[in-house]
Amino acid sequence: MLVGLVSMSAASASDVEVLHWWTAGGEAAALNVLKEDLQGQGINWNDMPVAGGGGESAMTVLRARVTSGNAPTAVQMLGFDILDWAGQGALADLNAVAAKEGWDEVVPQALQAFAKHDGKWVSAPVNVHSTNWVWANKSVLDANGIDVPATWEEFEAALAKLSEAGVTPIAHGGQPWQDATVFDAIAMSTGGPEFYKAAFVDLDEEALGSDTMVEAFRRMEVIRANVDDNFSGRDWNLATAMVANGEAAFQLMGDWAKGEFLNAGLVPGSDFLCFRFPGTQDQVTFNADQFALFDQGGDVSAEQAALASAILSPSFQSAFNVVKGSAPARTDVSDEAFDVCGKQAIADLANAASTGNLYGSMAHGHAAPASVKNAMYDVITAHFNGVFDAETAAAELVDAVSIAK
Ligand code: BGC
């Protein structure tokens, strides 16, 4: 009873309770920008962090909270999960704030497709990340005479050279979402954008079971052969640290990795390098973090409106994304404050959007609903750990997707 009273008085009307998975150093630094913004407006931030990159654990906690009738005010969410909760009528209607601030005009269509449901804005887009990046330790590359590889073949040659020199070529964390993040880039590079869309967005059986998919799995075996012995279960930010401190040459990871390098005091271009995964220079496989606002039983609350408005403000979009490693979720934010990787992220995104090369990330919930995504994770991870060979993996992918969809 006492506990109940204490927790009730701790959550006052001007609180927002925010469930998120931004627990790594660079992520927490970015989140602070938002916390401070709201605290400056007299809104108290109740933090509800659930560790686990990609957000699977956070989504499990969310389901438990909603089931017990105690949804948080705001929840970090990706792609199809937003549409799923909106379809269940769980999210607040943000149309008033969106109309007042003109979100329709400045948020890219690719994001609106996940932020709106049945003509209603239901979430506030924070950023645009993308998964087809490689992060490299510059001194390690220089010491081994390696240039930024432009093709898969050049990348393979670089891996072989590093391996021979006794350097761990790739820092990887063996967790299903990280294996899948790598697969986003490998599949795009192996088969190109039409193949990527057919397999991951359209869930076309022919593409899922094709020779191209078999080749993509073969390339995953090359990645597997170039990670260290302790990769299994490693968190993504620890893999980033291996590149940062020169224990490994490359990490294949979304641009939240840049937040970690920056948080460690490293400088892009001189300490570390960012480049698109070889063979995907024109493409962007994106995921956008959004804050979905749960319906608290009536109109959107003043705190929820303030949170949404703070997130979409151009100054916040610049300040937050500079730290987080992502591009802004608005098309009208200057790239001036961004470093060389951030400027590239913004330019790549605009080019990809205007040339039909922008695709939702399979690994981060922007290509297909969670049931399909999880089915793909299982196959990709089983193959990565040697349970299936490449041919079997492609066949298993066809089956798993047909059961899940
Ligand atoms: C999110 C990023 C986050 C990363 C690792 C991704 O799904 O979009 O914001 O930094 O997971 O936690």
Side-chain angles (χ1 to χ4, degrees):
M1 164 106 171
L2 193 60
V3 171
L5 285 176
V6 170
S7 65
M8 269 181 71
S9 62
S12 80
S14 59
D15 280 1
V16 284
E17 194 201 9
V18 186
L19 194 156
H20 63 88
W21 65 92
W22 284 334
T23 55
E27 296 175 322
L31 191 64
N32 266 335
V33 178
L34 184 56
K35 278 188 199 169
E36 280 164 16
D37 194 319
L38 287 181
Q39 273 156 4
Q41 300 183 48
I43 297 170
N44 192 38
W45 180 282
N46 279 338
D47 207 34
M48 176 82 196
V50 181
E56 236 185 314
S57 309
M59 291 304 103
T60 306
V61 170
L62 173 63
R63 274 190 296 279
R65 288 282 306 263
V66 176
T67 308
S68 66
N70 183 25
T73 325
V75 181
Q76 179 191 357
M77 222 181 260
L78 298 173
F80 278 90
D81 289 337
I82 304 170
L83 299 180
D84 190 10
W85 283 109
Q88 296 178 42
L91 303 185
D93 179 352
L94 296 175
N95 269 3
V97 53
K100 193 166 129 238
E101 298 181 358
W103 295 2
D104 277 303
E105 284 75 59
V106 292
V107 174
Q109 285 304 323
L111 267 56
Q112 289 195 29
F114 295 107
K116 287 169 92 169
H117 182 259
D118 271 352
K120 270 194 302 193
W121 282 90
V122 290
S123 65
V126 183
N127 61 14
V128 189
H129 271 303
S130 53
T131 55
N132 57 322
W133 285 106
V134 183
W135 306 90
N137 182 301
K138 186 166 185 311
S139 330
V140 172
L141 296 202
D142 289 349
N144 289 283
I146 292 170
D147 294 330
V148 166
T151 61
W152 168 256
E153 289 70 26
E154 284 178 23
F155 186 56
E156 255 194 305
L159 299 177
K161 204 166 180 186
L162 289 159
S163 213
E164 261 163 49
V167 179
T168 299
I170 297 173
H172 179 64
Q175 297 173 344
W177 76 271
Q178 293 188 64
D179 301 339
T181 301
V182 173
F183 202 55
D184 264 356
I186 294 273
M188 181 61 93
S189 170
T190 308
E194 272 148 38
F195 165 75
Y196 184 95
K197 177 173 180 290
F200 294 158
V201 180
D202 302 337
L203 309 179
D204 173 61
E205 287 199 2
E206 227 170 90
L208 287 165
S210 63
D211 290 349
T212 308
M213 189 61 82
V214 174
E215 175 59 17
F217 278 114
R218 278 208 194 97
R219 291 184 184 189
M220 287 297 277
E221 291 165 15
V222 174
I223 304 296
R224 171 66 186 85
N226 283 282
V227 305
D228 71 326
D229 288 344
N230 299 320
F231 78 99
S232 197
R234 176 188 287 135
D235 287 332
W236 68 272
N237 52 317
L238 300 181
T240 309
M242 289 171 67
V243 176
N245 65 29
E247 268 176 72
F250 300 118
Q251 182 185 19
L252 281 54
M253 189 42 62
D255 40 13
W256 44 91
K258 195 188 76 182
E260 287 299 298
F261 287 109
L262 298 183
N263 199 47
L266 302 186
V267 178
S270 44
D271 298 323
F272 68 96
L273 303 175
C274 56
F275 57 94
R276 292 289 173 187
F277 187 79
T280 71
Q281 285 87 343
D282 292 333
Q283 284 84 39
V284 170
T285 48
F286 82 98
N287 64 301
D289 291 303
Q290 307 210 27
F291 278 104
L293 300 173
F294 275 73
D295 189 344
Q296 307 284 304
D299 284 343
V300 63
S301 72
E303 295 73 32
Q304 286 179 318
L307 175 65
S309 171
I311 288 172
L312 266 296
S313 95
S315 58
F316 169 79
Q317 285 282 328
S318 178
F320 177 91
N321 288 308
V322 158
V323 179
K324 184 69 172 67
S326 32
R330 302 175 58 117
T331 50
D332 61 346
V333 176
S334 159
D335 71 356
E336 205 184 319
F338 288 78
D339 60 32
V340 56
C341 301
K343 284 188 168 61
Q344 185 186 338
I346 293 170
D348 286 355
L349 179 63
N351 287 338
S354 65
T355 56
N357 278 299
L358 180 62
Y359 293 94
S361 155
M362 172 275 292
H364 292 263
H366 282 72
S371 52
V372 171
K373 178 188 84 170
N374 292 331
M376 289 192 179
Y377 276 18
D378 288 348
V379 176
I380 294 163
T381 288
H383 167 263
F384 199 74
N385 290 293
V387 177
F388 305 132
D389 63 18
E391 279 82 9
T392 314
E396 289 287 332
L397 201 57
V398 174
D399 285 353
V401 168
S402 94
I403 294 165
K405 76 178 179 190

